[in-house]
């Protein structure tokens, strides 16, 4: 079961994200750059929060729920113990940003609510959604799918919540779509965007970050739709379709363009499609059900879907309908239960893949694994003059920072085969990259997982389907200020908000540490999932952390 099952609730509102942007530019890491290029939000604190979100609709096994107090309930981040954090993996991999330390509460009132801990996950399926008047970040849309762990239920009277609690009391499935983010610092809505989402049941053993179901793919680059997902509920005789992150808008947070009718259908290789119904893509409906809609299916249609693709048709008067979103010919789908990894030399990471065909686990399938940097953003290195201009300007490229090299720093088998449950596991081994990026710690890699049966050129799989791995460098040095100063001075420069908390000296002054030894030791030893973890960017290696903690334990001597 998942957020596509029942009982479930849908919410909508606003999110707040305040990432720092100084560390977005690779050349800012250079020690000789003393006046870094700030980009659009240099003083960001990385906070992630929900704002004015409420439950808009809910469903149980009988359909839409009415008269239940869950409707209009608040969906809010508790900011406990502090606000959650939004973090990139690396300056050269900013397309798998993760949320850490989010605790979410759905509250009918102060006494009746449930809350849970959002398991850290990266966003997925980012695409250009706004077709007119887009600005750098406002044009994009993406989704986060994960689970709420450690769920607590308090004085539950809502019939829908009682059903949800009875099914999965400890863990819930959640997905939310974010779009229309405002990065204009002169706007009253600066750092805000639109969010819609869904919460439903979850069970142990399910993938936390994707549905065991059907993956709907664009029919080529000119398709008006981006990736969508679906699930066949045989017991309820329903097909549940999620196009929440699929349909473009005419402006950031605006309504969709006129695409004519969109029909959900069973689409055989030959012969006429079997229409399940028309998908309502209006803005009002999107804000009510987060883009998720159910369609009745006959027993015959359910049986067809056991061996036939599902698709979204766009009827054209006088012509054959066009399949604008659909499954590949083999109705296959593969994903990984964790996408982002941070590793130190000597560490081993376990990776799990899950292959599906016709929405069911696909056993005995060989999955090829390959090391590359295809999804990374290798950045230009700027010229390094003895001083920086005022105000700072974007870097002037002189060379490219290397990525995905050396290959010897991350190893794994060339392929893996799924078991009867559709799952396959393999291990990645991390070694010292040898500081190939010099002023940027470690190296970033992609690990692609490809399945020959899943490669239909008419409906190609998502090109972003790969792991992203940051492997830190080995670091050695005595527990002295001379050892820790270079990377602490870099943090002081790259994260102005963090530095401002310790003025007048800031993070580049050893006296700051001498006066706050216990506080620094605390934030440096929290679990990485804790919102208080420091550095907030989670890009300090194990070795540097150990040397820094040893220096603090010695009293932070100068």
């Amino acid at each position: 079961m998942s957020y596509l099952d029942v009982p479930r609730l849908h919410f909508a509102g606003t999110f707040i994200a305040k990432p720092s942007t100084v560390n977005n530019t690779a050349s800012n890491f250079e020690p000789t750059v003393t006046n870094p290029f700030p980009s659009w939000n240099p003083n960001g604190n990385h906070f992630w929060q929900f704002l004015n979100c409420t439950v808009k609709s809910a469903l149980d096994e009988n359909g839409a729920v009415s008269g239940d107090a869950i409707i209009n309930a608040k969906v809010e981040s508790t900011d406990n113990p502090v606000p959650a954090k939004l973090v990139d993996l690396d300056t050269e991999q900013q397309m798998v940003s993760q949320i850490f330390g989010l605790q979410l509460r759905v509250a009918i009132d102060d006494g009746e609510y449930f809350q849970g801990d959002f398991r850290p996950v990266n966003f997925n399926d980012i695409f250009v959604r706004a077709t007119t008047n887009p600005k750098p970040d406002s044009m994009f849309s993406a989704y986060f799918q994960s689970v709420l762990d450690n769920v607590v239920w308090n004085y539950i009277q809502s019939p829908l919540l009682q059903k949800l609690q009875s099914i999965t009391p400890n863990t819930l499935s959640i997905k939310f779509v974010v779009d229309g983010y405002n990065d204009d610092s002169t706007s009253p809505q600066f750092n805000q965007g639109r969010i819609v989402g869904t919460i439903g049941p979850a069970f142990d053993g399910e993938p936390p970050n994707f549905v065991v179901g059907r993956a709907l793919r664009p029919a080529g680059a000119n398709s008006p739709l981006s990736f969508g997902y679906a699930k066949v509920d045989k017991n309820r005789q329903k097909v549940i379709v999620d196009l929440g992150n699929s349909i473009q808008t005419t402006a950031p947070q605006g309504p969709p363009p006129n695409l004519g009718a969109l029909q959900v259908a069973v689409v055989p290789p030959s012969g006429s499609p079997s229409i399940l119904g028309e998908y309502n893509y209006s803005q009002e409906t999107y804000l009510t059900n987060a883009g998720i809609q159910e369609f009745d299916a006959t027993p015959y249609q359910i049986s067809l879907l056991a061996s036939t693709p599902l698709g979204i048709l766009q009827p054209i008067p006088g012509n054959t309908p066009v399949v604008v979103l659909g499954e590949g010919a083999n109705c296959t789908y593969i994903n990984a239960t964790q996408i982002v990894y941070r590793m130190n030399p000597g560490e081993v990471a376990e990776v799990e893949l899950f292959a599906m065909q016709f929405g069911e686990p696909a056993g005995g399938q060989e999955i090829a694994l390959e090391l590359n940097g295809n999804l990374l953003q290798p950045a230009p290195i700027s010229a390094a003059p003895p001083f920086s201009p005022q105000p700072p300007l974007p870097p002037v490229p002189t060379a490219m920072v290397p990525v995905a090299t050396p290959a010897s720093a991350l190893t794994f088998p060339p392929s893996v085969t799924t078991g009867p449950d559709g799952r396959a596991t393999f291990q990645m081994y991390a070694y010292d990259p040898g500081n190939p990026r010099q002023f940027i710690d470690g190296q970033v890699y992609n690990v692609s997982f490809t399945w020959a049966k899943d490669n239909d050129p008419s409906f190609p799989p998502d090109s972003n389907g790969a792991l992203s791995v940051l492997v830190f460098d080995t670091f050695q040095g005595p527990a002295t200020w001379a050892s820790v100063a270079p990377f602490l001075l870099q943090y002081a420069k790259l994260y102005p908000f963090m530095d401002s908390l310790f003025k007048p000296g800031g993070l580049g002054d050893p006296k700051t540490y001498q006066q706050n030894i216990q506080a620094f030791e605390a934030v440096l030893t929290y679990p990485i999932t804790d919102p208080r973890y420091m550095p907030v960017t989670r890009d300090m290696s194990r070795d540097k952390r150990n040397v820094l903690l040893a220096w603090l334990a010695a009293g932070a001597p100068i």
Side-chain angles (χ1 to χ4, degrees):
M1 302 181 79
S2 71
Y3 74 95
L4 289 181
D5 290 284
V6 291
R8 67 175 183 267
L9 59 88
H10 304 294
F11 61 87
T14 300
F15 74 94
I16 299 173
K18 300 180 178 180
S20 172
T21 56
V22 181
N23 69 329
N24 286 355
T25 304
S27 62
N28 287 346
F29 287 71
E30 295 183 73
T32 53
V33 175
T34 58
N35 193 21
F37 177 59
S39 194
W40 53 270
N41 196 31
N43 296 311
N45 53 20
H46 292 272
F47 283 13
W48 171 277
Q49 297 163 300
F50 284 69
L51 177 68
N52 299 326
C53 290
T54 58
V55 174
K56 301 299 184 181
S57 66
L59 288 88
D60 61 16
E61 69 279 8
N62 298 314
V65 168
S66 62
D68 192 304
I70 189 60
I71 307 300
N72 297 320
K74 293 182 179 179
V75 181
E76 53 195 1
S77 43
T78 66
D79 296 343
N80 181 31
V82 296
K85 304 299 188 297
L86 178 69
V87 181
D88 288 335
L89 176 64
D90 188 86
T91 188
E92 294 178 282
Q93 176 47 305
Q94 300 177 37
M95 303 303 285
V96 288
S97 305
Q98 295 172 283
I99 299 173
F100 286 94
L102 173 63
Q103 186 179 77
L104 193 66
R105 175 180 295 172
V106 177
I108 292 172
D109 54 38
D110 291 342
E112 184 178 0
Y113 63 84
F114 72 85
Q115 68 182 36
D117 301 325
F118 182 80
R119 192 181 301 177
V121 72
N122 57 284
F123 67 63
N124 285 278
D125 287 358
I126 187 169
F127 81 107
V128 176
R129 187 170 193 174
T131 58
T132 59
N133 300 320
K135 295 185 178 179
D137 287 285
S138 67
M139 70 177 72
F140 293 111
S141 180
Y143 76 84
F144 293 86
Q145 181 182 337
S146 187
V147 294
L148 299 177
D149 292 314
N150 309 313
V151 177
V152 174
W153 305 83
N154 194 73
Y155 193 66
I156 301 301
Q157 300 297 304
S158 156
L160 182 120
L161 292 189
Q162 288 177 343
K163 290 179 181 179
L164 188 57
Q165 180 184 11
S166 69
I167 294 172
T168 51
N170 302 315
T171 308
L172 296 172
S173 176
I174 180 171
K175 177 181 178 178
F176 49 84
V177 180
V178 292
D179 78 317
Y181 180 71
N182 190 327
D183 61 5
D184 179 0
S185 60
T186 66
S187 169
Q189 287 75 45
F190 180 48
N191 287 327
Q192 297 181 19
R194 180 171 66 174
I195 185 170
V196 300
T198 304
I199 298 175
F203 283 113
D204 292 340
E206 283 189 332
N209 57 327
F210 58 92
V211 173
V212 179
R214 323 287 286 237
L216 306 179
R217 300 163 175 172
N222 295 323
S223 172
L225 303 184
S226 188
F227 293 89
Y229 301 90
K231 182 171 183 175
V232 178
D233 187 332
K234 298 176 184 177
N235 293 328
R236 296 175 59 231
Q237 297 283 290
K238 302 281 188 181
V239 175
I240 305 97
V241 176
D242 179 4
L243 301 186
N245 190 50
S246 302
I247 298 175
Q248 292 182 319
T249 61
T250 56
Q253 300 188 37
N258 183 1
L259 299 174
L262 294 179
Q263 297 174 331
V264 180
V266 185
V267 187
S270 60
S272 299
S274 180
I275 307 299
L276 299 176
E278 186 168 314
Y279 183 89
N280 183 343
Y281 58 90
S282 70
Q283 184 174 33
E284 179 183 6
T285 302
Y286 174 73
L287 296 175
T288 301
N289 61 23
I292 297 169
Q293 296 176 33
E294 294 192 342
F295 299 87
D296 293 326
T298 66
Y300 174 68
Q301 289 170 325
I302 294 289
S303 66
L304 273 181
L305 285 168
S307 59
T308 311
L310 181 70
I312 307 297
L313 302 182
Q314 191 176 46
I316 300 176
N319 289 287
T320 303
V322 175
V323 181
V324 291
L325 199 69
E327 297 183 275
N330 294 317
C331 298
T332 45
Y333 174 42
I334 184 171
N335 211 335
T337 56
Q338 180 177 339
I339 297 296
V340 178
Y341 293 82
R342 292 168 174 83
M343 301 181 69
N344 291 280
E347 291 182 341
V348 181
E350 189 92 359
V351 180
E352 181 183 60
L353 304 177
F354 196 124
M356 293 154 276
Q357 186 169 24
F358 303 110
E360 302 292 341
Q365 303 300 310
E366 183 178 9
I367 311 301
L369 307 173
E370 183 181 9
L371 186 69
N372 58 58
N374 295 346
L375 305 181
L376 305 177
Q377 301 101 50
I381 305 172
S382 69
F387 62 89
S388 297
Q390 295 286 345
L393 301 174
V396 177
T398 60
M400 299 300 287
V401 179
V403 295
T405 182
S408 57
L410 187 66
T411 64
F412 47 84
S415 65
V416 65
T417 301
T418 61
D421 61 355
R423 299 173 189 264
T425 61
F426 67 93
Q427 293 180 320
M428 296 189 297
Y429 297 83
Y431 302 90
D432 182 11
N435 193 222
R437 299 190 292 173
Q438 300 178 31
F439 47 84
I440 303 176
D441 192 5
Q443 184 58 283
V444 279
Y445 300 86
N446 291 139
V447 178
S448 61
F449 43 89
T450 55
W451 179 13
K453 189 179 288 188
D454 193 43
N455 190 21
D456 181 350
S458 297
F459 297 94
D462 189 354
S463 60
N464 291 316
L467 311 178
S468 289
V469 186
L470 171 58
V471 180
F472 290 111
D473 296 318
T474 296
F475 179 81
Q476 296 178 332
T480 64
W481 172 247
S483 288
V484 300
F487 61 85
L488 292 179
L489 287 167
Q490 187 181 70
Y491 280 114
K493 178 178 64 170
L494 294 176
Y495 313 110
F497 176 82
M498 193 188 310
D499 187 55
S500 69
L501 298 177
F502 298 98
K503 293 300 183 184
L507 294 176
D509 185 347
K511 293 180 181 179
T512 296
Y513 302 91
Q514 293 172 342
Q515 296 165 1
N516 300 277
I517 287 177
Q518 290 185 332
F520 278 109
E521 287 177 332
V523 298
L524 286 165
T525 52
Y526 284 123
I528 193 171
T529 54
D530 194 293
R532 297 166 292 182
Y533 180 96
M534 290 293 168
V536 65
T537 47
R538 288 155 171 79
D539 55 355
M540 182 183 290
S541 70
R542 172 200 60 200
D543 292 354
K544 286 182 177 178
R545 183 179 301 272
N546 289 341
V547 172
L548 178 55
L549 286 168
W551 177 66
L552 291 170
I558 300 176

